[in-house]
């Protein structure tokens, strides 16, 4: 990364400063001041790998450095580094936006800064980020982000904001595939898909019972598939039904604006919080009971598209011919961004609390260097499966720091 400083300003080496602050974040010190304090207590160890002629830089020096580094060049350096480790081709790439709430300007009318992130879902690694200009929105930023990536052979998943004709066309032109969500911002397609899936589900039930079916639905039923799954978590039971039709010719937009769409689907999800009686017995209602009567904790289940809703129904489109199981798996991996990335950045790295404004995007890249190294170490060593525990491992284990920070990380191709 080019050093932007003039000769007389150079007391501390740019690369050494970046390594020091990243090391601090790796070891669980999630502010610049605490990162540098950790480095000072490990100065003897760090001097085995770096010169550090003038010791550890001050927090104000690090802040000025992060303010001064060109954000675009910093992004290219990050992408080159992670690009040597993992491919963006022939994989699953999830694109989602994240707000930097702590960096919001305290003046009337200022919007919360947003970053678009690209995640390789197999290992959970971040491949790129791009700030969303306050005068535009994610719809204009997504095409710019896609231009930075080689997506040939990859499946790209984006929430409903990315369900745009131009974005589908660009993914197709770059040799990728898409699985996109359709919400009420596309009202015509939204209603068509849900109505069509309701009818297919009803006709499929008639077929299973041996009852007379609608002749006009026979062709579509031959390309229809449905699976149901039940998963028990610590605090709730989740029921998911995934429907897919490998024929999108019935969708008006597929004939006009969305010519690449080959499959349309829907995922219904019901989340039921677990309940116990006074003797500790499990009294969690079944799915049918919950939908009809609710439960003691949730007397009236709420339905909709929000993350906190008890009953969610999501419409999907894709340019691939997928099975119901494949569609459900792809969507689940996209949903995992919330827990595997956004929650970790906010809860573990304290990103949502960071007041940094001018340096917010470069500081976010520092967190993503640390995040990726921690994910890789979790993936390769098996020492921990929780991010905070992996931070403790890096804090306590000098060999781990040497292997992943100073020796370089081997390619996963």
């Amino acid at each position: 990364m080019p050093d932007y400083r003039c000769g007389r300003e150079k007391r501390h080496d740019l690369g050494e400063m970046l390594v020091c602050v990243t090391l601090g974040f790796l070891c669980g010190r999630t502010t610049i001041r605490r990162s540098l304090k950790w480095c000072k207590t490990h100065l003897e160890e760090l001097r085995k790998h770096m010169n550090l002629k003038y010791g550890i830089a001050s927090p104000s020096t690090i802040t000025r450095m992060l303010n001064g580094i060109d954000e675009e060049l910093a992004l290219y350096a990050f992408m080159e580094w992670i690009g040597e480790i993992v491919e963006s081709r022939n994989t699953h790439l999830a694109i989602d936006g994240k707000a930097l709430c702590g960096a919001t300007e305290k003046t009337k009318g200022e919007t919360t800064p947003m970053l678009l992130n690209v995640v390789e879902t197999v290992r959970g690694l971040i491949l790129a980020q791009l700030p969303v200009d306050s005068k535009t929105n994610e719809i204009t930023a997504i095409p710019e982000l896609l231009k930075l990536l080689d997506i040939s052979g990859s499946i790209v998943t984006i929430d409903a904001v990315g369900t745009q004709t131009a974005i589908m066309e660009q993914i197709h032109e770059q040799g990728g595939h898409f699985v996109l969500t359709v919400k009420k911002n596309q009202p015509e397609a939204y209603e068509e898909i849900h109505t069509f899936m309701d009818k297919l589900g009803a006709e499929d039930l008639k077929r299973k019972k041996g009852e007379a079916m609608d002749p006009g639905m026979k062709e579509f039923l031959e390309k229809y598939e449905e699976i149901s799954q039940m998963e028990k978590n610590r605090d709730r039971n989740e029921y998911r039904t995934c429907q897919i039709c490998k024929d999108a010719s019935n969708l008006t937009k597929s004939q006009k604006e969305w010519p690449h769409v080959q499959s349309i689907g829907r995922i219904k999800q019901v989340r039921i919080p677990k309940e116990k009686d006074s003797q500790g017995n499990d009294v969690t209602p079944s799915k049918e009971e919950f939908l009809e009567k609710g439960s003691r904790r949730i007397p009236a289940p709420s339905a909709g598209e929000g993350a906190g809703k008890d009953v969610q129904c999501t419409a999907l489109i894709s340019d691939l011919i997928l099975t119901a199981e494949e569609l459900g798996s792809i969507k689940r991996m996209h949903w995992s961004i919330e827990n595997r990335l956004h929650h970790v950045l906010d809860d573990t790295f304290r990103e949502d609390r960071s007041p940094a404004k001018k340096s917010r995007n470069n500081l976010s890249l520092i967190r993503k260097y640390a995040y990726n190294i921690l994910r890789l170490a979790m993936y390769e060593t098996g020492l921990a499966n929780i991010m905070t525990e992996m931070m403790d491992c890096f804090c306590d284990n000098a060999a781990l720091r040497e292997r992943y920070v100073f020796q370089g990380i081997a390619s996963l191709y």
Side-chain angles (χ1 to χ4, degrees):
M1 192 184 301
D3 196 335
Y4 66 94
R5 301 169 295 171
C6 63
R8 61 185 173 82
E9 293 178 324
K10 293 181 183 178
R11 182 176 175 86
H12 297 279
D13 180 79
L14 180 66
E16 290 180 351
M17 287 193 288
L18 289 167
V19 170
C20 284
V21 71
T22 304
L23 263 171
F25 275 82
L26 270 174
C27 297
R29 278 43 173 191
T30 54
T31 66
I32 292 174
R33 189 174 297 278
R34 293 180 63 222
S35 291
L36 300 178
K37 186 176 180 181
W38 183 92
C39 290
K40 284 181 180 179
T41 62
H42 293 77
L43 185 58
E44 185 177 344
E45 175 197 334
L46 296 182
R47 278 186 165 150
K48 295 176 183 177
H49 307 285
M50 300 182 288
N51 189 16
L52 296 173
K53 182 179 179 181
Y54 297 102
I56 305 299
S58 68
S60 57
T61 299
I62 295 293
T63 300
R64 286 195 301 273
M65 177 266 292
L66 291 172
N67 287 345
I69 290 176
D70 184 283
E71 291 182 2
E72 189 174 357
L73 293 177
L75 173 61
Y76 289 151
F78 175 84
M79 292 181 65
E80 184 177 355
W81 168 71
I82 193 64
E84 292 176 354
I85 298 169
V86 64
E87 282 267 24
S88 62
R89 295 179 294 179
N90 301 310
T91 186
H92 177 193
L93 303 176
I95 298 177
D96 202 13
K98 183 185 178 299
L100 303 177
C101 295
T104 307
E105 295 284 352
K106 306 299 181 184
T107 55
K108 189 175 181 180
E110 285 295 325
T111 58
T112 301
M114 291 280 294
L115 284 175
L116 277 178
N117 297 308
V118 181
V119 180
E120 187 266 341
T121 64
V122 177
R123 299 172 185 86
L125 299 175
I126 306 168
L127 303 188
Q129 72 173 33
L130 192 69
V132 179
D133 192 289
S134 60
K135 296 179 182 178
T136 60
N137 55 37
E138 292 179 57
I139 295 174
T140 56
I142 290 170
E144 297 303 315
L145 185 57
L146 288 170
K147 289 176 186 176
L148 300 174
L149 300 164
D150 181 356
I151 63 171
S152 54
S154 290
I155 297 172
V156 179
T157 56
I158 315 172
D159 204 359
V161 71
T163 309
Q164 307 293 329
T165 304
I167 291 175
M168 294 182 208
E169 193 64 41
Q170 182 176 345
I171 293 171
H172 182 75
E173 289 176 357
Q174 289 187 226
H177 304 283
F178 59 79
V179 175
L180 303 175
T181 304
V182 179
K183 291 187 178 179
K184 290 181 180 178
N185 61 335
Q186 302 276 359
E188 181 186 345
Y190 178 86
E191 290 298 332
E192 274 193 331
I193 291 173
H194 284 290
T195 301
F196 186 51
M197 286 296 156
D198 284 340
K199 194 167 185 180
L200 274 172
E203 291 298 316
D204 188 47
L205 190 60
K206 289 180 184 177
R207 179 172 61 177
K208 290 174 181 176
K209 291 180 178 179
E211 298 176 0
M213 297 182 293
D214 182 347
M217 298 298 292
K218 184 178 179 182
E219 182 182 348
F220 295 109
L221 276 172
E222 291 174 355
K223 301 175 182 178
Y224 173 76
E225 188 180 343
E226 177 181 320
I227 61 166
S228 295
Q229 298 171 328
M230 190 272 190
E231 182 179 315
K232 291 185 177 182
N233 294 319
R234 287 184 301 174
D235 61 340
R236 66 184 181 224
N237 293 338
E238 291 191 17
Y239 297 85
R240 285 185 292 274
T241 301
C242 184
Q243 304 166 274
I244 192 165
C245 181
K246 303 159 192 177
D247 184 346
S249 61
N250 200 45
L251 188 63
T252 303
K253 282 212 171 191
S254 70
Q255 302 166 29
K256 299 177 181 177
E257 301 172 42
W258 299 345
H260 302 300
V261 173
Q262 299 292 317
S263 301
I264 56 176
R266 182 172 68 177
I267 297 176
K268 286 184 177 181
Q269 180 171 278
V270 180
R271 296 175 176 175
I272 308 174
K274 288 189 177 179
E275 295 182 7
K276 292 186 179 181
D277 61 17
S278 57
Q279 282 77 43
N281 300 313
D282 188 355
V283 291
T284 307
S286 67
K287 182 176 75 168
E288 292 73 20
E289 291 171 336
F290 181 72
L291 292 173
E292 184 181 350
K293 303 175 183 178
S295 66
R296 290 185 298 180
R297 290 177 62 181
I298 304 177
S302 58
E305 296 174 344
K309 302 295 184 181
D310 309 303
V311 182
Q312 297 181 35
C313 201
T314 306
L316 301 154
I317 56 173
S318 178
D319 66 330
L320 292 168
I321 301 295
L322 300 168
T323 65
E325 186 175 357
E326 288 170 338
L327 181 68
S329 176
I330 290 167
K331 190 57 181 174
R332 285 273 287 166
M333 292 297 284
H334 183 83
W335 277 334
S336 71
I337 295 180
E338 194 63 40
N339 293 328
R340 297 179 74 188
L341 177 60
H342 295 174
H343 177 73
V344 170
L345 288 175
D346 283 341
D347 190 61
T348 305
F349 285 90
R350 302 290 194 269
E351 183 169 76
D352 220 20
R353 304 179 193 181
S354 172
K357 292 175 175 62
K358 287 182 66 177
S359 62
R360 63 176 181 262
N361 295 331
N362 284 334
L363 189 56
S364 183
L365 276 180
I366 294 291
R367 294 188 192 96
K368 288 177 171 67
Y369 275 109
Y371 174 94
N372 278 349
I373 292 171
L374 289 164
R375 277 274 177 230
L376 284 165
M378 290 164 68
Y379 178 76
E380 293 182 343
T381 67
L383 290 172
N385 57 9
I386 300 173
M387 192 67 76
T388 50
E389 292 182 4
M390 199 68 230
M391 285 177 165
D392 292 340
C393 293
F394 268 90
C395 186
D396 299 336
N397 192 330
L400 206 60
R401 296 192 291 270
E402 181 173 352
R403 173 181 170 184
Y404 282 94
V405 178
F406 298 108
Q407 290 183 358
I409 299 170
S411 169
L412 296 174
Y413 294 166

